[in-house]
Amino acid sequence: MTILLLGANGQVGHELRRSLAPLGSIVATTRSGELPDGGRCEIADFDRPDTLAELVQRIAPVAVVNAAAYTAVDKAEDEEAAAFRANAEAPGILAQACAERGIPFVHYSTDYVFDGQGTHPYREDQATRPLGVYGASKLAGEETVRQAGDNHLILRTAWVYGARGHNFLRTMLRLGAEREALNVVADQTGTPTPAYLIADVTARLLGMTAPARGTLHLTASGGTTWHGFAEAIMQGAATRGLLERVPRISPITSAEFPTRARRPAYSRMDVSALEGVLGTPLPHWQQGLDRVLDQIAKA
């Protein structure tokens, strides 16, 4: 059994190489054909979507998992065509290639498909309204995947971080070691979600006798602000000896930290449908953070 994994060098892709291994042989891909450890792998260039169908045909996998995407949220405002090629056109071609082979296609989407004006966790069937190019390109990707047929699983996730890669956690640990005081946005609410959780749940869903299909929300449970997440990171890091001291973290507004692209003010997502499929509750975001910090401390 061969599983084709696209985007194997990202933080979720890295964890998927681990979580999917018990299900079969993993054929990993990156844009360069090289893995972070220097190993070679297949090339999948999402800036050239027309090359991806041939890859699926040649590898002949039993499933395709797409963890590749254009994720530069602010840069996307100036590179709309590139964002849509990678996030909409490429997934559509992959989904169509999978449909032609009769195999499942797993694809990841984002909380950015919502406008953030809600006050309760978003359900899968609620109206989408992206605020910027990145969210619009990811929503377009959902639509192209759905148009290819029913044998797909779209997993919307949010606030992704991990022990490796470029993410909020790694940035906070670096800044916490360098500075005595930080300003962090406190008027955006969401759910920090570790990459390992996304990967583990994906493997569980693929391994089920009756695999899930359609669209599901996949985050940790609970919610916080970026400011609350930063405070939890610093406290947890100091407890584990990763920081010598806890810096002062002051709350600021989004207006005080302007970005090229607007972010959803509220992006918690309802995970009850996924919990029903799994038959178990998803861990609280603080539990996920503790596990990732433990991993970093032991490294």
Side-chain angles (χ1 to χ4, degrees), residues 218-233:
L218 167 50
T219 68
S221 65
T224 187
T225 64
W226 289 115
H227 178 266
F229 188 27
E231 287 191 318
I233 290 169

Side-chain angles (χ1 to χ4, degrees), residues 21-101:
L23 300 181
S25 174
I26 308 301
V27 174
T29 81
T30 65
R31 183 173 182 174
S32 65
E34 185 173 327
L35 294 167
D37 61 7
R40 303 301 300 176
C41 66
E42 292 282 345
I43 293 175
D45 187 353
F46 274 48
D47 206 38
R48 297 178 57 204
D50 57 304
T51 64
L52 299 176
E54 184 277 332
L55 176 66
V56 175
Q57 293 165 5
R58 177 165 54 82
I59 300 301
V62 297
V64 174
V65 179
N66 177 33
Y70 183 112
T71 57
V73 175
D74 292 313
K75 198 174 180 181
E77 295 297 310
D78 301 308
E79 296 186 353
E80 183 172 357
F84 271 80
R85 271 196 304 275
N87 291 344
E89 186 179 350
I93 288 173
L94 287 166
Q96 184 60 45
C98 289
E100 291 172 0
R101 295 190 61 85

Side-chain angles (χ1 to χ4, degrees), residues 105 146 227 254 297-299:
F105 178 63
R146 294 187 186 107
H227 178 266
S254 298
K298 293 173 183 176

Side-chain angles (χ1 to χ4, degrees), residues 169 173 232-233 236-237 240 242 289-297:
L169 168 70
L173 292 178
I233 290 169
R240 292 165 176 81
L242 296 170
L289 174 60
D290 287 341
R291 176 166 161 175
V292 174
L293 288 175
D294 285 344
Q295 181 183 349
I296 294 173

Side-chain angles (χ1 to χ4, degrees), residues 184-244:
V184 181
V185 170
D187 60 357
Q188 294 175 23
T189 299
T191 305
T193 303
Y196 83 79
L197 177 64
I198 297 170
D200 287 353
V201 170
T202 300
R204 283 185 63 185
L205 292 171
L206 270 177
M208 288 181 168
T209 304
R213 294 291 182 265
T215 303
L216 290 169
H217 288 170
L218 167 50
T219 68
S221 65
T224 187
T225 64
W226 289 115
H227 178 266
F229 188 27
E231 287 191 318
I233 290 169
M234 299 305 185
Q235 292 289 346
T239 299
R240 292 165 176 81
L242 296 170
L243 292 176
E244 293 182 0

